[in-house]
Amino acid sequence: MGETVIDFRELVTGLPDGVAVCDDRGTIRFVNPRLAEILGYRCEDLVGQPLEMLMPADVAEAHRRHRQSYAASPYVRPMGIGLDLFARGKGGELIPVEIALAPLGGHTVAVVRDITDRVAADQERARESALYRTIVESVGDLIFVTDEHLSVRFANSRALALAGGDLIGRRLPIESDELRDGTWASTLARDDGALLEFDATLHVPDRAVWLHVKVTPLRGSSGEHLGAVVSATDVSDRRMADTALRRLESDLAEARKMEALGRLAR
């Protein structure tokens, strides 16, 4: 069998990422169709042009200096190294990209990946996260997220204000029979989505806060137990009102009893 001959120009032409080859003066000598597509040009529009025409105007001059420094001491720079990079399209639009560089016989090869969809997805996740955080922070309840060992991984501002700011990584700062007798662990181990509810106390420096607690298990995609979301309502005022009412009822019953004994004694 004969040796397979690889047409590297054809290989580069078919890559899913954009590719540009520049000389030591920063002049574009080759682009593949994918790069032209990303930027909105034809390949022949780019060949012979300075690389800086594809840069945002506010960084073009700085890039020229960086390019000269790179040419003096070239090295392989991989993608995904934490730089926020943009290419300028034909219409002047800024396109988020990742760029890998490699020296090649006095030229520089740039591999350009369009990450528009990824950036848009990241921005959407960030918006959703901000929305959910706003919702969590706006509720009057104390909200904790714990791991499977009851260590606090997140607490909203209401919980931090009441329980103290140094909660993350510490054990959930509430006390109840359910935490002591294993009810918590057995409920979270179930796979039927059961919700655990109980009364508990939260000890703060000057008092004990009575809470009504609801616990929702957190599970991974394979059903493994990851922890729990704990929502706690401060019921201290209601608890004190109930205690005062029972005391009043007891006092009234005692007064009626004494009144009845007084009538019998007459």
Side-chain angles (χ1 to χ4, degrees), residues 65-96:
R65 293 193 298 270
H66 292 160
R67 174 174 54 75
Q68 293 167 350
S69 174
Y70 180 87
S73 182
Y75 60 95
V76 174
R77 191 188 78 186
M79 287 187 179
I81 58 175
L83 299 175
D84 292 326
L85 302 176
F86 295 88
R88 184 173 63 185
K90 184 176 182 180
E93 70 278 12
L94 298 183
I95 303 164

Side-chain angles (χ1 to χ4, degrees), residues 36-50:
E37 178 187 2
I38 291 171
L39 301 174
Y41 289 94
R42 298 176 302 170
C43 291
E44 54 266 33
D45 296 332
L46 296 174
V47 174
Q49 298 297 324

Side-chain angles (χ1 to χ4, degrees), residues 93-112:
E93 70 278 12
L94 298 183
I95 303 164
V97 293
E98 287 183 338
I99 300 176
L101 300 176
L104 181 65
H107 290 68
T108 299
V109 178
V111 179
V112 181

Side-chain angles (χ1 to χ4, degrees), residues 46-206:
L46 296 174
V47 174
Q49 298 297 324
L51 182 62
E52 281 72 29
M53 74 174 287
L54 305 181
M55 304 289 165
D58 60 343
V59 301
E61 183 57 37
H63 181 270
R64 186 175 288 106
R65 293 193 298 270
H66 292 160
R67 174 174 54 75
Q68 293 167 350
S69 174
Y70 180 87
S73 182
Y75 60 95
V76 174
R77 191 188 78 186
M79 287 187 179
I81 58 175
L83 299 175
D84 292 326
L85 302 176
F86 295 88
R88 184 173 63 185
K90 184 176 182 180
E93 70 278 12
L94 298 183
I95 303 164
V97 293
E98 287 183 338
I99 300 176
L101 300 176
L104 181 65
H107 290 68
T108 299
V109 178
V111 179
V112 181
R113 179 169 298 164
D114 181 357
I115 58 171
T116 300
D117 291 343
R118 187 202 309 170
V119 169
D122 289 345
Q123 291 173 341
E124 180 60 26
R125 282 193 293 270
R127 283 193 292 268
E128 288 184 0
S129 178
L131 173 62
Y132 292 138
R133 176 174 284 273
T134 298
I135 293 171
V136 169
E137 294 292 357
S138 66
V139 299
D141 288 352
L142 288 68
I143 305 294
F144 304 91
V145 178
T146 76
D147 64 14
E148 67 273 26
H149 304 297
L150 288 181
S151 293
V152 177
R153 297 306 181 201
F154 168 83
N156 69 350
S157 56
R158 170 74 171 142
L160 292 173
L162 192 59
D166 186 22
L167 287 178
I168 307 304
R170 291 171 46 197
R171 182 178 170 84
L172 185 69
I174 63 176
E175 296 181 9
S176 73
D177 291 339
E178 284 74 11
L179 293 181
R180 287 187 290 267
D181 67 10
T183 303
W184 166 285
S186 62
T187 299
L188 296 187
R190 293 165 57 179
D191 58 5
D192 58 2
L195 181 70
L196 177 61
E197 290 192 57
F198 55 88
D199 288 330
T201 54
L202 170 68
H203 290 283
V204 296
D206 58 343

